């Protein structure tokens, strides 16, 4: 959402993870509530004037997390009640004019996904669809293949697959080093490196936390004939930003933006091709 909003696009973010809404925390919106106006529910807008990365982003958010009596309150709901709330989110929220509506769903192919396909199916355009996210290991890919199969059976276009938590890269200077007894040896070790081999301090340590089974998410995407959008590594700075409810931390890499850029480039190319084809048809008539 931030990556699209940073381009000046008007973005709505709908959280339909009814039993585990996390977007209010990740976007710094805990404690906010939804207000009802004559035109419907008003989304909560991200407004962090002290966060330069988010200051000019127009991002409206709707989540059941704004409606619970406390952050720790469990919603013990069966399918019909979930479906009713999702229908309200889709019909009663006054988003205004949007360029993009992003819908965050829980993992799986259950009530939330079926409701979305049934309620939105007739309104989806040729550039709308699902972005499927998976970690690289087989335990995750087993479930995500079912999600791709769900999209095929319901004729929901897959815009692409993203491999999340694709390795951990940490600058050497940021590592905590311990000796054989578990004691912190970071200071002496870094001092020795600075003295003997300072160029090593410019390197990063990379660890494949999750083994990429049979080629990981990229191979899975190829087997289903859908685009692979790229990899997002485990980025400690991004985790701290989510915990703090901020878009990013100063000096941290924007590991998500390249994915958003690829999605936008793909849809823009499709639109340009359609416009060119329409123009040629008009010229031939």
């Amino acid at each position: 959402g931030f990556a699209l909003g940073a381009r000046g696009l008007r973005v709505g973010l709908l959280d339909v993870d009814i039993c585990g809404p996390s977007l209010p925390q990740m976007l710094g919106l805990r404690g906010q509530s939804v207000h009802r106006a004559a035109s419907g529910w008003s989304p909560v807008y991200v407004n962090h004037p002290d966060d330069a990365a988010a200051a000019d982003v127009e991002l409206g958010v709707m989540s059941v997390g704004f409606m619970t009596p406390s952050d720790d309150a469990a919603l013990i709901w069966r399918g019909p009640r979930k479906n009713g709330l999702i229908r309200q989110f889709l019909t009663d929220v006054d988003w205004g004019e949007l360029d993009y509506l992003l819908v965050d769903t829980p993992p799986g192919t259950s009530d939330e996904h079926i409701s979305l396909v049934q309620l939105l199916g007739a309104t989806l355009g040729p550039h709308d669809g699902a972005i499927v996210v998976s970690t690289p290991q087989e335990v995750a890919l087993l479930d995500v293949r079912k999600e791709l199969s769900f999209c095929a059976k319901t004729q929901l276009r897959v815009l692409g697959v993203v491999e999340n938590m694709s390795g951990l890269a940490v600058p050497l200077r940021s590592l905590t080093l311990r000796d054989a007894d578990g004691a912190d040896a970071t200071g002496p070790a870094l001092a020795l490196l600075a003295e003997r081999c300072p160029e090593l301090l410019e390197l990063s340590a990379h660890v494949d936390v999750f083994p990429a089974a049979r080629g990981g998410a990229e191979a899975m995407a190829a087997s289903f004939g859908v685009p692979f959008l790229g990899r997002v590594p485990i980025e400690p700075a991004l985790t701290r930003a989510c915990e703090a409810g901020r878009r990013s931390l100063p000096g941290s890499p924007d590991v998500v933006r390249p994915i958003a850029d690829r999605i936008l480039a793909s849809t823009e190319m499709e639109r340009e091709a359609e416009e060119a084809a329409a123009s040629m048809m008009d010229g031939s008539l």
Side-chain angles (χ1 to χ4, degrees):
F2 281 121
L4 296 175
R7 287 173 166 247
L9 299 169
R10 295 161 298 184
V11 182
L13 184 51
L14 175 58
D15 181 5
V16 299
D17 192 345
I18 305 299
C19 295
S22 56
L23 287 184
Q25 164 64 38
M26 296 172 66
L27 298 174
L29 299 174
R30 285 177 65 176
Q32 300 289 329
S33 58
V34 174
H35 301 285
R36 180 178 287 278
S39 55
W41 285 341
S42 297
V44 177
Y45 285 88
V46 175
N47 181 21
H48 300 317
D50 59 328
D51 186 351
D56 297 325
V57 173
E58 184 175 342
L59 178 61
V61 184
M62 179 57 69
S63 170
V64 73
F66 299 136
M67 303 175 180
T68 55
S70 73
D71 292 336
D72 297 330
L75 294 180
I76 308 173
W77 289 4
R78 293 186 183 275
R81 194 166 182 187
K82 286 183 181 181
N83 298 342
L85 182 62
I86 292 172
R87 181 184 294 274
Q88 281 190 285
F89 278 163
L90 293 174
T91 58
D92 294 351
V93 177
D94 182 12
W95 295 101
E97 292 293 326
L98 289 179
D99 296 302
Y100 288 91
L101 175 63
L102 308 180
V103 184
D104 181 33
T105 67
T109 57
S110 57
D111 295 317
E112 293 87 346
H113 310 82
I114 297 169
S115 294
L116 287 170
V117 169
Q118 290 177 338
L119 294 169
L120 291 177
T123 65
L124 296 179
H127 309 295
D128 300 323
I131 298 172
V132 179
V133 181
S134 178
T135 48
Q137 76 276 29
E138 181 62 19
V139 170
L141 296 174
L142 278 170
D143 293 336
V144 177
R145 291 189 192 100
K146 295 178 178 65
E147 295 177 8
L148 291 171
S149 177
F150 171 89
C151 292
K153 289 181 178 179
T154 59
Q155 298 183 329
L156 176 63
R157 180 187 178 190
V158 176
L159 299 177
V161 172
V162 176
E163 185 172 278
N164 195 20
M165 300 186 183
S166 184
L168 169 66
V170 182
L172 196 60
R173 294 177 184 271
S174 301
L175 289 173
T176 298
L177 305 174
R178 299 189 182 278
D179 62 19
D181 297 323
D184 190 343
T186 306
L190 293 182
L192 184 62
L193 282 175
E195 177 186 346
R196 303 281 182 86
C197 196
E199 59 270 23
L200 289 181
L201 295 176
E202 304 306 316
L203 300 179
S204 294
H206 183 89
V207 179
D208 288 325
V209 179
F210 300 108
R214 294 188 289 175
E218 183 173 10
M220 178 187 65
S223 70
F224 277 85
V226 299
F228 180 67
L229 298 173
R231 296 175 173 85
V232 177
I234 300 173
E235 172 51 60
L238 179 60
T239 301
R240 291 194 295 271
C242 291
E243 289 289 294
R246 300 171 66 90
R247 177 191 174 187
S248 61
L249 297 178
S252 63
D254 192 342
V255 295
V256 177
R257 184 158 189 167
I259 305 293
D261 289 343
R262 291 188 190 101
I263 296 169
L264 287 175
S266 174
T267 55
E268 286 170 2
M269 287 177 60
E270 289 177 354
R271 287 193 178 99
E272 289 172 359
E274 287 178 0
E275 290 172 359
S279 177
M280 292 177 60
M281 297 232 358
D282 290 342
S284 63
L285 293 177

